[in-house]
mmCIF file of all heavy atoms in Angstrom:
data_model
loop_
_atom_site.group_PDB
_atom_site.id
_atom_site.type_symbol
_atom_site.label_atom_id
_atom_site.label_comp_id
_atom_site.label_asym_id
_atom_site.label_seq_id
_atom_site.Cartn_x
_atom_site.Cartn_y
_atom_site.Cartn_z
ATOM 1 N N GLN A 20 -46.454 -19.919 99.965
ATOM 2 C CA GLN A 20 -47.286 -19.028 100.689
ATOM 3 C C GLN A 20 -46.622 -17.775 101.239
ATOM 4 O O GLN A 20 -47.195 -16.830 101.726
ATOM 5 C CB GLN A 20 -47.960 -19.764 101.877
ATOM 6 C CG GLN A 20 -48.878 -20.875 101.453
ATOM 7 C CD GLN A 20 -48.166 -22.186 101.123
ATOM 8 O OE1 GLN A 20 -46.983 -22.335 101.303
ATOM 9 N NE2 GLN A 20 -48.894 -23.118 100.570
ATOM 10 N N MET A 22 -44.265 -16.155 99.375
ATOM 11 C CA MET A 22 -43.710 -15.436 98.234
ATOM 12 C C MET A 22 -44.716 -14.477 97.678
ATOM 13 O O MET A 22 -45.866 -14.739 97.577
ATOM 14 C CB MET A 22 -43.287 -16.500 97.142
ATOM 15 C CG MET A 22 -42.194 -17.397 97.623
ATOM 16 S SD MET A 22 -41.546 -18.596 96.383
ATOM 17 C CE MET A 22 -42.581 -18.548 95.016
ATOM 18 N N HIS A 32 -44.333 -25.459 82.505
ATOM 19 C CA HIS A 32 -43.711 -26.391 83.480
ATOM 20 C C HIS A 32 -42.322 -26.849 82.943
ATOM 21 O O HIS A 32 -42.124 -26.939 81.730
ATOM 22 C CB HIS A 32 -44.632 -27.584 83.704
ATOM 23 C CG HIS A 32 -45.810 -27.214 84.584
ATOM 24 N ND1 HIS A 32 -46.825 -26.530 84.112
ATOM 25 C CD2 HIS A 32 -46.008 -27.403 85.866
ATOM 26 C CE1 HIS A 32 -47.706 -26.342 85.100
ATOM 27 N NE2 HIS A 32 -47.204 -26.853 86.153
ATOM 28 N N LEU A 35 -36.021 -29.996 86.393
ATOM 29 C CA LEU A 35 -34.759 -29.411 86.872
ATOM 30 C C LEU A 35 -33.929 -30.540 87.529
ATOM 31 O O LEU A 35 -34.462 -31.322 88.324
ATOM 32 C CB LEU A 35 -35.120 -28.320 87.986
ATOM 33 C CG LEU A 35 -33.973 -27.816 88.759
ATOM 34 C CD1 LEU A 35 -33.059 -26.973 87.911
ATOM 35 C CD2 LEU A 35 -34.443 -27.012 89.983
ATOM 36 N N GLN A 48 -30.685 -19.360 91.037
ATOM 37 C CA GLN A 48 -31.203 -17.988 91.004
ATOM 38 C C GLN A 48 -30.792 -17.209 89.785
ATOM 39 O O GLN A 48 -31.546 -16.563 89.145
ATOM 40 C CB GLN A 48 -30.812 -17.271 92.322
ATOM 41 C CG GLN A 48 -31.443 -17.799 93.567
ATOM 42 C CD GLN A 48 -30.742 -17.256 94.842
ATOM 43 O OE1 GLN A 48 -30.127 -16.239 94.796
ATOM 44 N NE2 GLN A 48 -31.035 -17.929 96.000
ATOM 45 N N ALA A 58 -35.977 -11.958 89.801
ATOM 46 C CA ALA A 58 -35.093 -12.038 90.977
ATOM 47 C C ALA A 58 -35.877 -11.844 92.221
ATOM 48 O O ALA A 58 -36.879 -11.110 92.290
ATOM 49 C CB ALA A 58 -33.954 -11.112 90.816
ATOM 50 N N THR A 63 -39.346 -7.991 105.140
ATOM 51 C CA THR A 63 -40.328 -8.256 106.216
ATOM 52 C C THR A 63 -41.551 -7.352 105.966
ATOM 53 O O THR A 63 -41.379 -6.192 105.805
ATOM 54 C CB THR A 63 -39.701 -7.983 107.606
ATOM 55 O OG1 THR A 63 -38.545 -8.823 107.780
ATOM 56 C CG2 THR A 63 -40.735 -8.145 108.747
ATOM 57 N N ASP A 67 -51.077 -11.319 106.389
ATOM 58 C CA ASP A 67 -52.201 -12.115 106.947
ATOM 59 C C ASP A 67 -51.643 -13.543 107.190
ATOM 60 O O ASP A 67 -51.076 -14.150 106.291
ATOM 61 C CB ASP A 67 -53.381 -12.198 105.987
ATOM 62 C CG ASP A 67 -54.145 -10.865 105.897
ATOM 63 O OD1 ASP A 67 -54.160 -10.089 106.879
ATOM 64 O OD2 ASP A 67 -54.660 -10.553 104.841
ATOM 65 N N ARG A 86 -41.760 -40.154 125.627
ATOM 66 C CA ARG A 86 -40.315 -40.071 125.663
ATOM 67 C C ARG A 86 -39.761 -41.371 125.076
ATOM 68 O O ARG A 86 -40.138 -42.435 125.455
ATOM 69 C CB ARG A 86 -39.826 -39.812 127.071
ATOM 70 C CG ARG A 86 -38.421 -39.396 127.125
ATOM 71 C CD ARG A 86 -38.019 -39.002 128.517
ATOM 72 N NE ARG A 86 -36.665 -38.452 128.403
ATOM 73 C CZ ARG A 86 -36.217 -37.650 129.232
ATOM 74 N NH1 ARG A 86 -36.850 -37.183 130.267
ATOM 75 N NH2 ARG A 86 -34.976 -37.129 129.070
ATOM 76 N N SER A 91 -42.292 -41.103 113.334
ATOM 77 C CA SER A 91 -42.879 -41.792 112.208
ATOM 78 C C SER A 91 -43.985 -40.933 111.599
ATOM 79 O O SER A 91 -44.617 -40.173 112.233
ATOM 80 C CB SER A 91 -43.393 -43.183 112.539
ATOM 81 O OG SER A 91 -44.530 -43.080 113.375
ATOM 82 N N PHE A 92 -44.097 -41.140 110.310
ATOM 83 C CA PHE A 92 -45.160 -40.416 109.571
ATOM 84 C C PHE A 92 -45.884 -41.391 108.682
ATOM 85 O O PHE A 92 -45.279 -42.215 108.038
ATOM 86 C CB PHE A 92 -44.497 -39.325 108.690
ATOM 87 C CG PHE A 92 -45.418 -38.666 107.784
ATOM 88 C CD1 PHE A 92 -46.368 -37.773 108.225
ATOM 89 C CD2 PHE A 92 -45.346 -38.834 106.395
ATOM 90 C CE1 PHE A 92 -47.249 -37.120 107.413
ATOM 91 C CE2 PHE A 92 -46.256 -38.218 105.546
ATOM 92 C CZ PHE A 92 -47.192 -37.378 106.028
ATOM 93 N N TYR A 112 -47.417 -28.262 107.317
ATOM 94 C CA TYR A 112 -48.469 -28.994 106.613
ATOM 95 C C TYR A 112 -49.739 -28.146 106.512
ATOM 96 O O TYR A 112 -50.360 -27.971 105.458
ATOM 97 C CB TYR A 112 -48.773 -30.301 107.251
ATOM 98 C CG TYR A 112 -50.008 -31.017 106.750
ATOM 99 C CD1 TYR A 112 -50.041 -31.553 105.481
ATOM 100 C CD2 TYR A 112 -51.196 -31.039 107.447
ATOM 101 C CE1 TYR A 112 -51.126 -32.160 104.984
ATOM 102 C CE2 TYR A 112 -52.333 -31.623 106.911
ATOM 103 C CZ TYR A 112 -52.281 -32.199 105.693
ATOM 104 O OH TYR A 112 -53.416 -32.746 105.158
ATOM 105 N N GLY A 129 -42.063 -28.582 121.115
ATOM 106 C CA GLY A 129 -42.093 -29.951 121.514
ATOM 107 C C GLY A 129 -42.638 -30.845 120.396
ATOM 108 O O GLY A 129 -42.968 -30.425 119.305
ATOM 109 N N THR A 134 -52.995 -36.828 114.408
ATOM 110 C CA THR A 134 -53.515 -37.502 113.232
ATOM 111 C C THR A 134 -54.672 -36.655 112.658
ATOM 112 O O THR A 134 -55.551 -36.171 113.412
ATOM 113 C CB THR A 134 -54.140 -38.896 113.496
ATOM 114 O OG1 THR A 134 -53.019 -39.663 114.021
ATOM 115 C CG2 THR A 134 -54.723 -39.546 112.278
ATOM 116 N N THR A 148 -59.533 -28.373 111.077
ATOM 117 C CA THR A 148 -59.831 -27.445 112.200
ATOM 118 C C THR A 148 -60.415 -28.220 113.354
ATOM 119 O O THR A 148 -60.046 -27.939 114.499
ATOM 120 C CB THR A 148 -60.740 -26.322 111.667
ATOM 121 O OG1 THR A 148 -60.184 -25.675 110.533
ATOM 122 C CG2 THR A 148 -61.122 -25.349 112.742
ATOM 123 N N GLU A 150 -60.063 -31.434 114.052
ATOM 124 C CA GLU A 150 -59.031 -32.340 114.665
ATOM 125 C C GLU A 150 -58.082 -31.516 115.484
ATOM 126 O O GLU A 150 -57.604 -31.978 116.521
ATOM 127 C CB GLU A 150 -58.278 -33.069 113.531
ATOM 128 C CG GLU A 150 -59.210 -33.968 112.686
ATOM 129 C CD GLU A 150 -59.092 -35.439 112.995
ATOM 130 O OE1 GLU A 150 -58.328 -35.848 113.791
ATOM 131 O OE2 GLU A 150 -59.892 -36.173 112.367
ATOM 132 N N LYS A 172 -39.521 -8.420 88.455
ATOM 133 C CA LYS A 172 -38.915 -8.390 87.121
ATOM 134 C C LYS A 172 -37.689 -7.525 87.188
ATOM 135 O O LYS A 172 -37.719 -6.461 87.690
ATOM 136 C CB LYS A 172 -39.876 -7.870 86.105
ATOM 137 C CG LYS A 172 -39.550 -8.196 84.679
ATOM 138 C CD LYS A 172 -39.903 -9.549 84.311
ATOM 139 C CE LYS A 172 -39.944 -9.735 82.807
ATOM 140 N NZ LYS A 172 -39.923 -11.140 82.421
#
Side-chain angles (χ1 to χ4, degrees):
Q20 296 80 8
M22 295 183 351
H32 287 78
L35 170 69
Q48 291 169 18
T63 300
D67 289 331
R86 194 171 188 156
S91 67
F92 173 71
Y112 171 72
T134 299
T148 301
E150 301 254 357
K172 196 78 163 164

